[in-house]
Amino acid sequence: MHLKTRTISSYLRNLTAIFTSHQNPRFNLRGQAKPISSLKVVWRKDQKLDLAIEKDKQFKLCSRVVKEVLNEPGQVIPLRYLEKRRERLRLNVKITTFLTQNPGLFDVYYDRIKPKSEPVKFLRISDRLKQFLEEEKRVIMENEPSIVSKLCKLLMMSKDRVLSADKLVHVKREFGFPNDFLVNLVPKYSQYFRLVGCPGEGKSFLELVSWNPEFAESVIEQRAEEESKLTGIRVRPNFYYKLPSGFFLRKEMREWVRDWMELDYVSPYDDVSHLDQASPEMEKRTVGVLHELLSLSILKRVPVPILGKFSDEYRFSNAFASVFTRHSGIFYMSLKGGIKTAMLREAYKDDQLIDRDPLLEIKDKFAELLEEGWRERTEQLRLQREEIKKDMEMMAIRNEE
């Protein structure tokens, strides 16, 4: 679940490359006049990380349409009903065109909406899609301990060890929680969780029942521990900081980041109620929580508006989103698709994830299903073109005769 370990030497080389060329005296973070919020870094586009989001565009679109049908009674829906939901699904082509472009997801058949009405086209999930859904269940069952750990960690980082159940449902896709996790998973682990209220019907909360020290270790702390074991030298937990090629910080900002990086790491699982919200230490803690949240996510990236829903629970300031540009060596904020998405730089090499979450097997299986349909469509189009070509050749021969 945590990112690949990097050696101390590579970590120090990156810090040295960024900071050591500037010999001005250090200033005291606590004594500086300017508040943290006034420290500005200009946002810069990262094409490689944007590409990682762009590549998932078709996958996410198909996933939304599939989930829409799966949520219907009997997992069937009149085609015209789905057509009316195109705007909500952010689908810019007609449903019939979507089905042609993505064969293998659904079967089309005729049925009546009402007993005496005329038969109309309905959609139901295909046998191929049913097989994928069985595979999805298998992967979730195999990774259930990891899912439970993630859910505990989300609760353990919150200030009251409690989160809105409805908010958790809203982020289930980002963290790989199964659709029915509140109904089937949570009751199985009563030693960890207590559900208060009924989700979707007013205020409902998930509470942490007991604290497991094994879960209270962040990815940053795990990485330092692993490096210490490899080298035999005690490694202080800290963030891996690397600015992208061609990216430079102003002198004032370089000095601030250098000093800020030397502050002690604040674990996202520590009680920070005593810290001043505007202090550098609280900034260290905020970055730590955001780093941990992104590390726990399936794709090591989460839309900023979704993170903002948890501002109160995780003690984020109203301007928390500025953290992603202020610490551009740790995070990247993509604007792809008109949505701000926070990404963890160290999790990617160019546009590829370095350390893949085991739950990504579900996405891989779904991608295989889509690609199989696309290959079949390509082959059908090829055969159609060949038939047309043959017909045209035969017509030419007849005309010559």
Side-chain angles (χ1 to χ4, degrees):
M1 188 167 66
H2 60 276
L3 304 173
K4 288 184 178 178
T5 301
R6 292 174 172 84
T7 63
I8 296 176
S9 58
S10 65
Y11 171 72
L12 291 175
R13 278 199 304 272
N14 280 299
L15 285 180
T16 302
I18 295 168
F19 304 127
T20 56
S21 61
H22 306 279
Q23 303 299 323
N24 293 329
R26 292 177 55 205
F27 56 75
N28 190 332
L29 279 167
R30 294 174 180 80
Q32 64 181 352
K34 289 189 176 183
I36 292 172
S37 59
S38 70
L39 296 167
K40 305 295 183 183
V41 176
V42 177
W43 177 87
R44 287 194 59 175
K45 184 182 181 67
D46 190 318
Q47 293 182 341
K48 292 176 180 177
L49 290 180
D50 280 344
L51 181 59
I53 294 178
E54 181 66 25
K55 285 164 60 179
D56 281 342
K57 189 175 179 180
Q58 188 64 19
F59 165 83
K60 290 173 72 175
L61 175 62
C62 292
S63 181
R64 284 199 299 271
V65 177
V66 167
K67 286 177 181 177
E68 190 72 19
V69 177
L70 291 177
N71 288 334
E72 289 294 307
Q75 298 183 336
V76 299
I77 186 173
L79 189 146
R80 72 188 189 198
Y81 286 8
L82 196 58
E83 178 69 29
K84 292 178 180 178
R85 302 177 191 177
R86 274 175 50 201
E87 185 176 351
R88 177 160 61 81
L89 292 169
R90 302 194 293 280
L91 186 61
N92 58 5
V93 297
K94 291 184 176 181
I95 290 297
T96 51
T97 304
F98 172 83
L99 296 175
T100 302
Q101 293 175 342
N102 301 282
L105 292 176
F106 304 104
D107 293 333
V108 179
Y109 68 104
Y110 282 87
D111 201 353
R112 291 179 171 85
I113 296 176
K114 295 179 180 179
K116 294 184 179 180
S117 63
E118 290 296 316
V120 297
K121 286 183 178 180
F122 272 72
L123 293 184
R124 64 186 169 207
I125 60 175
S126 66
D127 289 340
R128 204 180 295 177
L129 186 53
K130 287 179 184 176
Q131 186 177 351
F132 159 75
L133 294 173
E134 289 301 315
E135 283 291 294
E136 182 181 39
K137 289 179 184 176
R138 176 190 62 79
V139 174
I140 288 173
M141 285 182 63
E142 288 178 357
N143 290 279
E144 190 169 284
S146 172
I147 294 171
V148 171
S149 169
K150 282 186 183 185
L151 194 52
C152 282
K153 283 173 173 283
L154 292 184
L155 292 168
M156 290 164 71
M157 282 188 285
S158 66
K159 64 180 181 181
D160 297 317
R161 316 297 183 238
V162 59
L163 291 171
S164 162
D166 292 331
K167 288 182 182 180
L168 285 170
V169 169
H170 192 67
V171 300
K172 64 186 178 184
R173 184 180 68 182
E174 274 69 30
F175 294 97
F177 302 150
N179 291 332
D180 59 356
F181 76 99
L182 288 176
V183 177
N184 292 330
L185 184 72
V186 166
K188 283 174 62 178
Y189 295 89
S190 57
Q191 72 271 35
Y192 292 134
F193 311 118
R194 181 189 297 116
L195 185 61
V196 179
C198 185
E201 298 181 8
K203 290 188 176 181
S204 177
F205 300 92
L206 189 65
E207 296 179 350
L208 185 73
V209 174
S210 62
W211 182 279
N212 187 337
E214 292 181 7
F215 298 155
E217 188 176 40
S218 69
V219 167
I220 295 290
E221 291 167 314
Q222 290 172 12
R223 185 164 66 203
E225 201 172 280
E226 290 174 7
E227 289 186 358
S228 296
K229 289 178 181 177
L230 284 172
T231 62
I233 303 170
R234 182 180 175 275
V235 177
R236 188 168 66 98
N238 213 336
F239 303 103
Y240 183 80
Y241 195 101
K242 182 179 181 181
L243 289 172
S245 178
F247 192 104
F248 298 99
L249 298 176
R250 297 195 319 269
K251 176 184 173 182
E252 178 190 41
M253 197 64 212
R254 285 195 300 267
E255 292 175 340
W256 186 89
V257 172
R258 179 194 62 197
D259 288 2
W260 181 84
M261 285 287 286
E262 291 187 9
L263 289 175
D264 287 340
Y265 172 75
V266 181
S267 172
Y269 302 102
D270 287 349
D271 178 15
V272 292
S273 56
H274 62 285
L275 290 181
D276 179 358
Q277 188 71 37
S279 67
E281 290 82 4
M282 193 61 178
E283 173 96 346
K284 195 94 174 185
R285 190 262 177 185
T286 297
V287 173
V289 172
L290 291 168
H291 186 285
E292 187 75 351
L293 288 172
L294 295 181
S295 298
L296 292 172
S297 69
I298 297 292
L299 294 171
K300 316 306 178 197
R301 63 179 190 247
V302 178
V304 174
I306 288 180
L307 293 170
K309 290 180 182 292
F310 296 90
S311 291
D312 183 54
E313 292 88 338
Y314 292 128
R315 300 179 187 273
F316 297 154
S317 70
N318 292 334
F320 84 95
S322 63
V323 165
F324 300 121
T325 49
R326 189 156 56 247
H327 297 279
S328 296
I330 301 172
F331 305 113
Y332 172 62
M333 186 165 67
S334 173
L335 306 181
K336 201 69 181 174
I339 300 173
K340 291 181 179 179
T341 302
M343 305 180 71
L344 197 57
R345 282 198 186 276
E346 66 188 62
Y348 287 85
K349 180 176 175 55
D350 296 333
D351 62 342
Q352 299 294 321
L353 269 173
I354 297 172
D355 191 21
R356 291 169 55 82
D357 191 296
L359 288 168
L360 275 176
E361 184 181 348
I362 294 171
K363 180 187 172 186
D364 294 341
K365 295 284 184 183
F366 189 62
E368 288 173 10
L369 170 62
L370 293 176
E371 287 166 2
E372 186 177 351
W374 296 338
R375 284 194 299 271
E376 290 176 0
R377 180 170 179 265
T378 301
E379 181 64 16
Q380 288 173 357
L381 292 173
R382 186 185 68 79
L383 293 173
Q384 287 175 6
R385 285 194 295 268
E386 288 182 357
E387 286 295 319
I388 292 171
K389 184 179 179 181
K390 287 179 182 177
D391 290 345
M392 292 179 68
E393 289 173 349
M394 290 296 294
M395 287 177 63
I397 291 172
R398 290 196 193 100
N399 289 337
E400 288 177 2
E401 292 175 349

